[in-house]
């Protein structure tokens, strides 16, 4: 873990008691406004991980992940989302968050970590490659959106 972040940045793992901290984050770190009910349910579930990078007490980056268990294989960790505020990109925050997620996955006994991203997410894909991730060409994703 030799990568250095520029500036004074602290990464915190949030837990069930950290909803007020999460709700106090200025908008723009996540894709949407934080829903207090969904956020508390996420934080309460021990299979979920949420890390926030703080610079000068401002939430500047985030990574969320979910541990997956299967009846026929070892646990895996799925990275749900990684994000850094635009004005803080290029400082190693996203890389440090991903490294923290991967390190935590190891400590949980996960044998692999994986994620999906959009083909046009060139910055994200470069980040994941720099961390030793292998990009696959044979993955097809199906989505059932807006379930009613």
């Amino acid at each position: 873990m030799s990568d250095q972040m520029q500036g004074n940045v602290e990464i915190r793992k949030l837990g069930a008691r950290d909803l007020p901290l999460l709700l106090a984050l200025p908008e723009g770190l996540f894709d949407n406004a934080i829903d207090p009910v969904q956020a508390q349910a996420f934080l309460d579930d021990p299979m979920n991980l949420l890390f926030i990078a703080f610079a000068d007490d401002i939430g500047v980056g985030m990574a969320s992940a979910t541990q997956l268990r299967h009846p026929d294989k070892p646990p895996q960790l799925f990275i749900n989302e990684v994000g850094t505020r635009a004005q803080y990109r290029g400082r190693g925050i996203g890389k440090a968050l991903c490294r923290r997620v991967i390190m935590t996955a190891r400590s949980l006994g996960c044998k692999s970590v994986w994620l999906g991203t959009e083909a046009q997410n060139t910055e994200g894909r470069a980040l994941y490659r720099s961390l030793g991730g292998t990009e696959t060409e044979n993955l097809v994703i199906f989505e059932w959106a807006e379930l009613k």
Side-chain angles (χ1 to χ4, degrees):
M1 310 284 174
S2 62
D3 295 311
Q4 293 293 324
M5 287 183 284
Q6 297 174 7
N8 187 19
V9 177
E10 175 192 5
I11 296 176
R12 295 186 209 163
K13 180 180 182 283
L14 272 56
R17 296 182 182 171
D18 291 320
L19 181 64
L21 178 64
L22 188 57
L23 293 174
L25 294 172
E27 285 194 27
L29 185 56
F30 292 84
D31 292 336
N32 301 299
I34 295 170
D35 177 323
V37 172
Q38 294 302 317
Q40 188 64 65
F42 188 90
L43 293 172
D44 284 344
D45 188 334
M47 300 298 272
N48 294 327
L49 301 171
L50 180 59
F51 296 96
I52 305 291
F54 289 92
D56 301 317
D57 294 324
I58 299 168
V60 297
M62 59 76 64
S64 67
T66 300
Q67 190 175 3
L68 304 174
R69 294 199 173 268
H70 305 276
D72 64 333
K73 55 183 87 99
Q76 303 174 322
L77 195 76
F78 174 73
I79 298 176
N80 303 318
E81 190 172 17
V82 177
T84 304
R85 291 187 189 278
Q87 64 269 36
Y88 288 89
R89 291 185 187 143
R91 300 183 189 187
I93 295 168
K95 183 175 268 191
L97 283 161
C98 288
R99 286 186 182 277
R100 181 75 180 269
V101 169
I102 293 166
M103 182 178 69
T104 302
R106 278 190 197 105
S107 73
L108 293 170
C110 294
K111 299 302 178 195
S112 65
V113 176
W114 63 285
L115 60 78
T117 192
E118 296 82 6
Q120 67 271 22
N121 183 1
T122 55
E123 286 180 332
R125 290 171 66 189
L127 167 64
Y128 307 137
R129 275 190 221 106
S130 77
L131 289 162
T134 303
E135 192 168 325
T136 65
E137 297 293 329
N138 60 351
L139 181 65
V140 177
I141 298 173
F142 291 86
E143 178 180 17
W144 287 261
E146 306 294 325
L147 294 178
K148 296 179 185 190

